[in-house]
Amino acid sequence: MLNEVGHFALVLALAMALVQSVLPIVGAQRGDTRLMATAAPSAGAVFALVAFAFAALTVAYIRSDFSVLNVFENSHSAKPMVYKISGVWGNHEGSMLLWVLVLATFGFLAAVLGRNMPLSLRATVVSVQGWVSTAFLAFILATSNPFERLFPAPFEGQDLNPLLQDIGLAIHPPLLYVGYVGFSIVFAFAIAALIEGRLDAAWARWVRPWILGSWIFLTLGIAMGSYWAYYELGWGGWWFWDPVENASFMPWLAGTALLHSAAVMEKRDALKVWTILLAIVAFSLSLLGTFLVRSGVLTSVHAFASDPTRGLFILMILAAFIGGAFLLFALRAGTLKAGGAFAPMSREGALVFNNVFLTTACATVLVGTLYPLVLETVTGGKISVGPPYFNMTFIPLMVPLFLALPAGPLLAWKRGDAAAAAVRLLPAIVVAMFGAAASAWLAGEETALTAAFGIGIGLYLVVGSVAELWLRTGRGAAGARLARLPRLPRAMWGTAFGHLGVGVTVIGIAALSAFQTEVIRDMGPGDTASLAGYELTLARAERVEGPNYTDTVAVFDVRRGGRVVDTLRPAKRHYPARNMPTTEAAIKTMGPTQLYVTLGEVADGKVVVRLFYKPFVLFIWIGALIAALGGVLSLADRKLRIGLPAPARRRVPQGAAGAGA
Amino acid sequence: MTRRGRKARRLALIAVAGLAIAGAAALVLVGLGDRITYAATPTELKDEVHPAGVRVRLGGLVEDGSLVRGADGDVAFAVTDTVNRVPVRYTGILPDLFREGQGVVTEGVMDPSGTLMADTVLARHDENYMPKEVVDSLKAQGRWKEGEGARTGMEGRATTPGATAPVTSSAATQ
């Protein structure tokens, strides 16, 4: 019964989304405040109805109601509760429902929170968001009904793919979707600005919290997905340039560029047309990602059920939104006034530099991702574009970006002094040189260049970010300057943390690629393998029963200098419901460094064991966390706080200008 | 700002953007020229001339009885499309669902003797999911039963590190 009500709620939500799509924007065009006032209630109704449908599906999962096809295909009565709940979005239909729930939430938030925005702009934004909600609700109802019934109801479900039975599934998709879908509201702002013909610094100030918020979630979602793949897939890699990873990475690159160009727009009223274009591009890339994942055109860890009608439907949504947006952009861009001028060597110039390289890098990723698809369609030739291509195109584009990065915040708006910035960066350059030399000396011949270059740049970024904060404290005794640090605007801290995070991640990547070691050994009980000063002895095998699986555990004693320091328990796991084995890696963490042990086949009383020593590997994700924290700090800056009275806004010190980019 | 200043600023902008884009375009062209991997079935590999050293993505079935395990993770097996076979060598841990007679995709470089030195092995990762190449390959041989596994994706995967790409691979793959 509840399932039918859930389905009905989705139909009602579609009807309400149509109301949200039409009435507020018509009101905005006619200047009719009563029609504009329908924005909040209609968006609220869509949100409530979709949330109800989502809750209904969750209840079906919790109750293991196998009369629902979706639950039957993706759940099992013996599955632990946390995976029953996260299993709601561990499949195509459910994840689409989560996608729409996030869309509706953002629409509702925009309607409720934008109190200091002009009524007509807010109404238009809410309506445009309504268009997106309408399209995806129609998609769900037409092709992907999560409440489809199964008769007669089976006694037991087919269980969730064991690879997804992990806490990662509870965290990664929701974070990612909030980020992905968050760009829809940014898109709505861009379209509304084009429709209203209003594009100024105030617009940039209203849209920036949404950009920042989406960017924070997307950053966390991608980082979480990367760490999940690293420990769950059992082969120790953390980024594979898999097309679907690229599908989330491209909006991130465009979003990062957008974050910076919106800062220029907010401070200097420049780069306006470009910022609008980036907002459209970022959301278009999100939609493209959805298409790639759900149409079955890709071979990927993430690819969902392939159903041509779904692919076609999303392609139509994609074409309508991207085509429509670019058409509107082409019609209106000429009428938008250019903003403040600036010298090439200035904060604006540095941010343009940032944008050029981020978007170019994004374009090379796009080409590499789509090229095989295009080639297969056009010539039938089958190729795959993998890490060799992406590393060769992407990394060289990051180098100039990273070299210029710490200098950017040190340049003044309008006209900056490059020589002065270089002098201020001297400590960072010196530290980077020392770090590079030391790493090259420590690394082997083959990896010396990677180590020196990567770690050098990483250190340069880290020290450069810290130096920027320190320079902002002005002159005087170190103690007095230290005391001033906490009083710096949060946006400034945000910039520094964001850039610091990039440096930490770069160090992690470089150190890992230069210093990682591994061995593969056939090991029987009592055998010992040694790696990077650790000795691992296979003590015994154990059988451990889990709630819905059985583990065959190999117990390793880890010794260092002859003393047992730890026990590692990698396992081969068997899920009887799907008769499927998985490999559970065991990881020992020592600061940022990890020992990673995974098992292969068992033959003749021996098991193939693969051991990795992964120095500084955690820096990769810690850097992402630091950068996301930077985003949070920027978001917490008082100038972005909604509803701030005007005089207080004026009191923000000039020095704060532009930080937080 | 003066008109000349505006012009200079615009020129500088165009120069930087032009350089970045030209550089990126060159990288993309070179990358797509020699850093891509050709997907092939055993028969295609036999028919076409693939110079040694080119990366190949080979899809097919693991030939029954061809799997030989050496010491410390060395394995040898053959990939077949029931007409032709290509011997493959690999060092590492095979995916959980790697089985003789089942679909597999291997990636690596052909050596002069015609053996694929694989650094990546992908297998289907549960009863419902199968790499697209394997499905295509089975369909091409008429061994594909509709509905057998309607869903693709979720591939099991295994690689050896450092073997992926000559120049900068290690930065992102491992």
Side-chain angles (χ1 to χ4, degrees):
Chain A
M1 181 60 197
L2 190 60
N3 299 306
E4 275 66 35
V5 181
H7 188 215
F8 187 61
L10 282 181
V11 178
L12 276 182
L14 177 61
M16 286 314 293
L18 278 169
V19 174
Q20 180 192 341
S21 301
V22 177
L23 292 190
I25 193 168
V26 168
Q29 291 299 310
R30 292 191 185 161
D32 182 338
T33 47
R34 276 166 56 216
L35 278 181
M36 283 191 261
T38 58
S42 60
V46 174
F47 166 70
L49 287 163
V50 175
F52 178 82
F54 190 82
L57 187 63
T58 309
V59 168
Y61 267 86
I62 291 173
R63 286 190 188 154
S64 292
D65 181 354
F66 298 125
S67 72
V68 177
L69 180 65
N70 191 263
V71 180
F72 163 72
E73 282 180 343
N74 298 292
S75 197
H76 191 280
S77 56
K79 197 168 67 168
M81 183 53 76
V82 55
Y83 303 140
K84 281 184 181 169
I85 294 171
S86 54
V88 173
W89 55 81
N91 58 83
H92 166 74
E93 290 82 359
S95 63
M96 222 46 240
L97 191 56
L98 176 63
W99 170 277
V100 172
L101 177 62
V102 180
L103 265 180
T105 310
F106 272 107
F108 181 51
L109 286 178
V112 180
L113 288 181
R115 287 281 145 110
N116 59 349
M117 281 164 51
L119 199 57
S120 69
L121 179 66
R122 188 170 56 165
T124 311
V125 167
V126 171
S127 270
V128 176
Q129 184 75 3
W131 303 347
V132 186
S133 301
T134 304
F136 279 96
L137 277 167
F139 172 73
I140 288 186
L141 289 169
T143 72
S144 318
N145 176 13
F147 295 106
E148 200 170 314
R149 288 283 195 175
L150 193 60
F151 184 84
F155 285 111
E156 193 50 90
Q158 292 181 330
D159 207 359
L160 182 66
N161 186 317
L163 284 176
L164 299 179
Q165 294 194 27
D166 187 273
I167 195 68
L169 181 65
I171 307 169
H172 165 62
L175 285 177
L176 201 64
Y177 282 15
V178 173
Y180 248 167
V181 182
F183 283 118
S184 67
I185 202 82
V186 179
F187 171 82
F189 267 92
I191 297 299
L194 287 174
I195 291 175
E196 297 258 299
R198 183 199 164 123
L199 197 56
D200 50 20
W203 178 89
R205 184 165 302 146
W206 292 319
V207 75
R208 265 197 77 208
W210 300 101
I211 303 175
L212 265 171
S214 308
W215 181 87
I216 293 165
F217 278 99
L218 197 55
T219 306
L220 292 174
I222 293 174
M224 178 66 216
S226 160
Y227 189 64
W228 184 18
Y230 165 78
Y231 72 74
E232 179 67 24
L233 291 181
W235 44 290
W238 58 273
W239 189 262
F240 312 116
W241 293 109
D242 169 298
V244 177
E245 286 173 335
N246 296 346
S248 69
F249 192 46
M250 288 186 283
W252 186 87
L253 288 168
T256 309
L258 177 61
L259 201 59
H260 291 85
S261 78
V264 177
M265 187 165 165
E266 185 189 339
K267 295 293 172 219
R268 301 277 309 134
D269 205 30
L271 298 188
K272 293 197 283 196
V273 178
W274 173 246
T275 301
I276 290 285
L277 184 66
L278 269 182
I280 295 173
V281 165
F283 182 59
S284 301
L285 290 169
S286 293
L287 286 179
L288 180 73
T290 313
F291 168 72
L292 290 178
V293 179
R294 291 167 197 278
S295 62
V297 297
L298 288 178
T299 305
S300 154
V301 190
H302 297 78
F304 283 102
S306 64
D307 177 345
T309 55
R310 284 178 190 160
L312 198 64
F313 202 118
I314 300 183
L315 201 58
M316 276 156 47
I317 297 179
L318 191 73
F321 277 98
I322 300 180
F326 279 112
L327 185 67
L328 184 65
F329 179 77
L331 290 175
R332 287 297 180 98
T335 66
L336 300 167
K337 268 200 311 196
F342 53 87
M345 193 54 72
S346 61
R347 179 87 60 87
E348 294 96 316
L351 289 166
V352 168
F353 189 85
N354 150 307
N355 269 240
V356 167
F357 279 87
L358 280 176
T359 45
T360 312
C362 183
T364 65
V365 176
L366 182 70
V367 169
T369 308
L370 294 185
Y371 183 65
L373 301 175
V374 173
L375 193 75
E376 188 171 349
T377 317
V378 176
T379 69
K382 282 183 188 157
I383 60 151
S384 72
V385 175
Y389 165 84
F390 290 107
N391 292 334
M392 196 191 114
T393 54
F394 188 78
I395 293 171
L397 284 169
M398 287 299 109
V399 171
L401 180 65
F402 290 162
L403 288 178
L405 190 153
L410 296 178
L411 292 171
W413 292 103
K414 278 185 95 168
R415 185 182 289 275
D417 185 346
V423 170
R424 289 165 149 194
L425 280 177
L426 218 54
I429 295 168
V430 170
V431 171
M433 293 290 185
F434 271 108
S439 326
W441 185 68
L442 282 172
E445 208 169 288
E446 267 175 61
T447 55
L449 201 65
T450 315
F453 213 60
I455 294 175
I457 287 186
L459 284 170
Y460 168 70
L461 291 174
V462 168
V463 179
S465 320
V466 176
E468 193 232 326
L469 263 188
W470 184 247
L471 290 168
R472 297 275 182 205
T473 56
R475 292 166 190 283
R481 294 177 72 174
L482 214 55
R484 267 180 238 140
L485 265 182
R487 276 179 287 154
L488 290 177
R490 295 220 181 103
M492 213 172 265
W493 280 90
T495 308
F497 269 75
H499 294 168
L500 179 75
V502 176
V504 171
T505 297
V506 169
I507 293 175
I509 295 170
L512 184 67
S513 20
F515 300 112
Q516 165 174 280
T517 50
E518 68 155 310
V519 291
I520 303 178
R521 286 266 181 289
D522 294 330
M523 294 177 77
D527 286 353
T528 298
S530 50
L531 181 71
Y534 290 87
E535 277 145 24
L536 281 84
T537 308
L538 178 53
R540 61 187 182 278
E542 278 178 9
R543 189 164 283 264
V544 179
E545 293 293 330
N548 56 343
Y549 57 80
T550 309
D551 271 349
T552 309
V553 182
V555 182
F556 288 88
D557 290 328
V558 184
R559 286 189 178 79
R560 192 177 171 86
R563 215 165 43 84
V564 176
V565 289
D566 207 348
T567 311
L568 280 174
R569 307 169 62 88
K572 280 280 176 194
R573 182 167 289 182
H574 183 255
Y575 287 84
R578 285 203 174 196
N579 190 24
M580 179 170 158
T582 65
T583 301
E584 301 298 311
I587 296 173
K588 173 177 167 57
T589 303
M590 302 141 308
T593 298
Q594 295 190 323
L595 269 182
Y596 186 109
V597 185
T598 174
L599 302 178
E601 307 87 79
V602 182
D604 309 330
K606 292 202 170 203
V607 60
V608 188
V609 180
R610 192 168 176 183
L611 304 171
F612 296 93
Y613 174 71
K614 293 186 171 287
F616 295 100
V617 64
L618 286 181
F619 271 21
I620 295 171
W621 303 291
I622 291 172
L625 286 179
I626 294 173
L629 177 64
V632 174
L633 287 170
S634 283
L635 201 54
D637 194 89
R638 55 188 306 165
K639 73 174 188 291
L640 286 184
R641 247 176 258 161
I642 293 154
L644 197 71
R649 208 180 288 150
R650 247 182 268 130
R651 272 206 308 274
V652 175
Q654 270 303 300
Chain B
M1 195 172 278
T2 63
R3 179 168 294 178
R4 249 180 69 207
R6 215 176 247 282
K7 216 171 193 178
R9 163 206 159 202
R10 192 162 288 171
L11 271 179
L13 246 176
I14 293 170
V16 170
L19 269 179
I21 292 165
L27 288 171
V28 165
L29 287 177
V30 173
L32 290 181
D34 63 27
R35 296 290 165 85
I36 54 172
T37 309
Y38 293 91
T41 63
T43 301
E44 286 165 352
L45 260 192
K46 202 137 215 158
D47 294 345
E48 292 163 31
V49 185
H50 281 274
V54 166
R55 278 187 72 76
V56 174
R57 192 175 166 101
L58 173 70
L61 299 166
V62 183
E63 194 179 56
D64 277 323
S66 69
L67 181 65
V68 180
R69 289 179 203 282
D72 297 334
D74 281 329
V75 288
F77 57 92
V79 172
T80 173
D81 55 9
T82 67
V83 182
N84 284 295
R85 67 193 293 275
V86 175
V88 179
R89 300 201 57 162
Y90 173 71
T91 303
I93 289 181
L94 291 167
D96 291 313
L97 282 169
F98 182 92
R99 301 267 186 281
E100 289 185 345
Q102 298 271 359
V104 70
V105 173
T106 59
E107 219 177 286
V109 178
M110 297 297 290
D111 80 348
S113 72
T115 301
L116 183 73
M117 308 305 280
D119 51 56
T120 306
V121 175
L122 318 168
R124 55 197 284 174
H125 220 145
D126 75 6
E127 296 314 308
N128 295 319
Y129 294 90
M130 197 186 279
K132 190 164 165 282
E133 290 94 329
V134 176
V135 175
D136 291 347
S137 161
L138 292 181
K139 275 183 180 163
Q141 301 147 34
R143 293 188 45 161
W144 174 257
K145 295 186 275 300
E146 259 339 303
E148 181 188 328
R151 303 195 273 188
T152 58
M154 292 313 290
E155 49 203 26
R157 187 161 193 170
T159 60
T160 47
T164 325
V167 183
T168 44
S169 75
S170 41
T173 35
Q174 298 299 325

